[in-house]
Amino acid sequence: MLATLVAVVVAAVAGTTVGYAALSKDVTLTLDGETRQVSAIGDTVADVLAAEGIEVTDKDLVAPAADESVSDGTAIAVQFGRPLELAVDGETSTYWVNSTDVASALGEIGRRFDGADLSASRSSSIGRGGLTLEVVTPKVVHLKLGAKDLRKRTVTALTVADVLESMDFEVDKHDKVTPPLRTEISDGDKVVVTDIRIATRKVQREVVDAPVVEREDASMLEGEEEVVQAGRDGVRAVTYRLRYVDGELVARKVVRASVRVKPVPTIVAVGTKEEPEEPGANFAGGSTVWDALARCESGGNWAINTGNGYYGGLQFSAATWRSVGGSGLPHQHSREEQIKRGQILQARAGWGQWPSCSAKLGLR
C-alpha cells in the first residue's frame, strides 16, 4: 500500500516538472544596452517583463511590442525613458529621451549644439534618474575694451563677465562696464569697458607763480599800467590725485600741499584817470617845411592820435614830447605849439628824428 502511494506522488511531481518546462521560454533580455539570458513563463513580451519584475511606461521603448508573443530564443530590448533637463543660455526645458549618453540624447531631440560649451561631456552617461545639462552657445559680440578699437569676436559665454574672462581681460574696480557684468548676452550684443585708472603723483618742489595784485592809481590815465613791485615765485610740495580714462588724463586734483617758499606778489598800478577829450581833426596848414613834414607823417592832421604811441602832426612819442618841454600829449596842442617843439627837437638832434619823411623831402 505504501509503495503504491509513493509511486503516485513521484508520478505527479514528474508531470508538474514537465508541464513547467513546457511553459517556460528562454529569451535574450537587453535593458538599456545590457544583455542577459532569462527563462520566464509567459506567452507575450509583457508576460516576460512582468515575470522579471520590470515595469515599463509610455516613455519607454520596448521591442518587440509588449503584446507580441514570445518563444524560445526571442530577443527583447527595453530602452527606458529618462528626463534630460536642458538649460540653454539660461532658459530651461525638459525632454524625455531613451538614449543613455549625452551625444545620443542630443541627437535624439535634434539639438546637437555644435561649438557650444556643455556642463557634461558628450560621452557622459545618462542614468534612469535623468541629467541636467547646461549649454552655453557661441555668440558674435562687439567689444570695445578701453582705448582699443571696436572689434567683433565669437565667444562661448552666458554673461558679460564670461565674455571678458574669455578675452583674458581683467576688470579693475574703477572700470565702468556696459552692460553690467552679470547681464546675460545675446548674439550681436555690444560690450564696452571704459578703462578708468586712479593714480597719485607727488611733486617735491613745484613752482607757484607769483600772484598779481592790481592797485588803482588816480594819477595815471585809464589804460596805463606800471609795475611798482616785482614779484617772486614760490615753491610748494604737492600731491595730486590723477584720473585717467582709456589712458588719457581727464582730471587732476590736489589732495595735499605744503608751502616751502611763499610767493611774493607782483603789484601793478592801474590808471583810473579819464583821458581828456581829444579835439577833432585839425588840418590847419601853411607852406612851411613843417607843414610839408606833417603832411608826410600824419596826412597834415595836427590832432591825430593813431593809437600806436605817436601823436599829432609830427608824430611825437609821449617821451620825446616831454623831453622838449611839452605837456600832456602832442595832439592836444595847436599846430604852432607842435611846430615850436619840433624846432627844438630838430635843433637838438637834426632831421633824423623823422628819417623816412625827411629823406623824401630832401631835408638835411
Side-chain angles (χ1 to χ4, degrees):
M1 185 68 179
L2 178 60
T4 302
L5 179 61
V6 169
V8 172
V9 170
V10 168
V13 170
T16 301
T17 302
V18 171
Y20 178 82
L23 293 174
S24 177
K25 299 174 177 69
D26 293 326
V27 299
T28 301
L29 183 60
T30 302
L31 303 178
D32 283 340
E34 295 185 3
T35 301
R36 68 176 187 264
Q37 300 296 322
V38 299
S39 293
I41 295 176
D43 295 326
T44 65
V45 170
D47 294 338
V48 173
L49 295 179
E52 290 296 310
I54 299 171
E55 296 181 3
V56 294
T57 70
D58 60 353
K59 292 184 170 57
D60 303 322
L61 293 179
V62 181
D67 58 357
E68 292 285 328
S69 61
V70 296
S71 59
D72 280 335
T74 297
I76 301 173
V78 179
Q79 287 290 116
F80 293 104
R82 59 211 70 206
L84 175 63
E85 185 177 85
L86 282 183
V88 182
D89 291 335
E91 294 187 6
T92 302
S93 301
T94 300
Y95 300 85
W96 280 88
V97 297
N98 300 101
S99 301
T100 58
D101 63 82
V102 170
S104 299
L106 292 179
E108 183 179 334
I109 65 175
R111 303 189 70 182
R112 298 185 180 278
F113 297 112
D114 293 333
D117 280 349
L118 308 181
S119 60
S121 69
R122 294 178 183 270
S123 61
S124 296
S125 61
I126 305 176
R128 293 281 299 275
L131 177 71
T132 297
L133 184 66
E134 295 181 359
V135 181
V136 180
T137 62
K139 304 166 187 69
V140 174
V141 180
H142 302 275
L143 298 170
K144 178 72 172 66
L145 305 180
K148 296 181 180 179
D149 294 334
L150 184 69
R151 49 186 171 172
K152 184 170 67 174
R153 290 290 185 272
T154 299
V155 295
T156 306
L158 179 60
T159 66
V160 171
D162 297 335
V163 172
L164 298 178
E165 184 178 354
S166 70
M167 299 296 297
D168 293 326
F169 187 89
E170 189 172 341
V171 178
D172 185 77
K173 65 179 180 179
H174 298 295
D175 294 342
K176 180 182 178 182
V177 183
T178 306
L181 289 172
R182 295 183 180 180
T183 305
E184 293 186 3
I185 62 167
S186 301
D187 195 53
D189 280 354
K190 181 178 180 181
V191 175
V192 177
V193 179
T194 303
D195 183 18
I196 299 175
R197 183 169 66 89
I198 306 298
T200 57
R201 180 187 173 205
K202 295 182 179 180
V203 181
Q204 295 300 324
R205 295 186 64 84
E206 181 182 77
V207 173
V208 180
D209 293 337
V212 177
V213 177
E214 294 184 347
R215 294 180 179 174
E216 295 182 349
D217 190 330
S219 67
M220 298 171 57
L221 293 176
E222 289 181 348
E224 293 183 350
E225 294 183 355
E226 182 180 352
V227 176
V228 297
Q229 175 182 291
R232 185 181 67 232
D233 293 339
V235 177
R236 70 175 180 176
V238 61
T239 300
Y240 290 103
R241 182 177 184 269
L242 308 175
R243 187 171 187 265
Y244 295 88
V245 174
D246 290 341
E248 293 187 5
L249 179 64
V250 298
R252 184 176 70 168
K253 180 180 179 181
V254 175
V255 294
R256 188 179 301 107
S258 59
V259 177
R260 294 189 170 183
V261 178
K262 189 175 181 179
V264 175
T266 298
I267 300 176
V268 178
V270 178
T272 60
K273 181 181 180 181
E274 293 186 6
E275 187 173 348
E277 189 174 331
E278 296 182 3
N282 178 7
F283 289 97
S287 57
T288 69
V289 67
W290 295 103
D291 293 300
L293 187 59
R295 284 192 293 272
C296 179
E297 289 286 345
S298 62
N301 184 1
W302 297 91
I304 193 170
N305 176 4
T306 59
N308 62 357
Y310 294 91
Y311 309 88
L314 301 178
Q315 291 292 279
F316 280 97
S317 67
T320 302
W321 177 258
R322 288 192 290 270
S323 73
V324 292
S327 63
L329 293 173
H331 67 292
Q332 299 169 342
H333 295 272
S334 65
R335 163 182 172 274
E336 290 72 23
E337 177 66 14
Q338 292 182 53
I339 291 175
K340 176 181 176 182
R341 301 302 168 185
Q343 290 171 335
I344 295 173
L345 180 60
Q346 191 276 333
R348 179 189 299 171
W351 295 107
Q353 294 296 312
W354 302 274
S356 178
C357 286
S358 63
K360 290 180 181 179
L361 297 174
L363 301 176
R364 297 287 187 271

